[in-house]
């Protein structure tokens, strides 16, 4: 299953904190998005077995003062 993990924070973090996901072999793509009035957003596209695994992997990454959203991606 693929999941898109959006990270909103005061500064770009997504590209910096990808190492744990790379070591686990689940990271498919990563990037920082254009800053908005609400802060900076970034994303990870990961491939894991379940949503619970996605949540657990993201919890292990230190993301202080961040808003994190995890959404399943439909693979056609």
């Amino acid at each position: 299953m693929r999941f898109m993990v959006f990270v909103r924070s005061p500064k770009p973090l997504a590209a910096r904190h990808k190492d744990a996901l790379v070591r686990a072999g689940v990271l498919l793509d990563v990037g920082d998005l254009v800053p908005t009035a609400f802060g900076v957003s970034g994303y990870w596209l990961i491939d894991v077995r379940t949503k619970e695994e996605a949540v657990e992997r993201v919890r292990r990454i230190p993301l202080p003062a961040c808003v994190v959203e995890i959404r399943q991606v439909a693979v056609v």
Side-chain angles (χ1 to χ4, degrees), residues 3-66:
F3 292 90
M4 183 72 73
V5 181
F6 294 99
V7 181
R8 277 196 322 240
S9 69
K11 42 185 147 169
L13 292 175
R16 272 190 249 160
H17 291 290
K18 66 180 181 182
D19 295 340
L21 299 171
V22 170
R23 282 193 302 275
V26 299
L27 186 67
L28 299 175
D29 192 20
V30 64
D32 288 315
L33 304 176
V34 177
T36 68
F38 301 106
V40 178
S41 293
Y43 70 90
W44 296 303
L45 179 62
I46 60 175
D47 190 9
V48 293
R49 292 186 190 143
T50 64
K51 185 171 185 175
E52 290 77 22
E53 182 181 353
V55 169
E56 184 56 36
R57 291 197 181 277
V58 171
R59 277 193 180 148
R60 294 179 194 162
I61 299 169
L63 299 169
C66 294

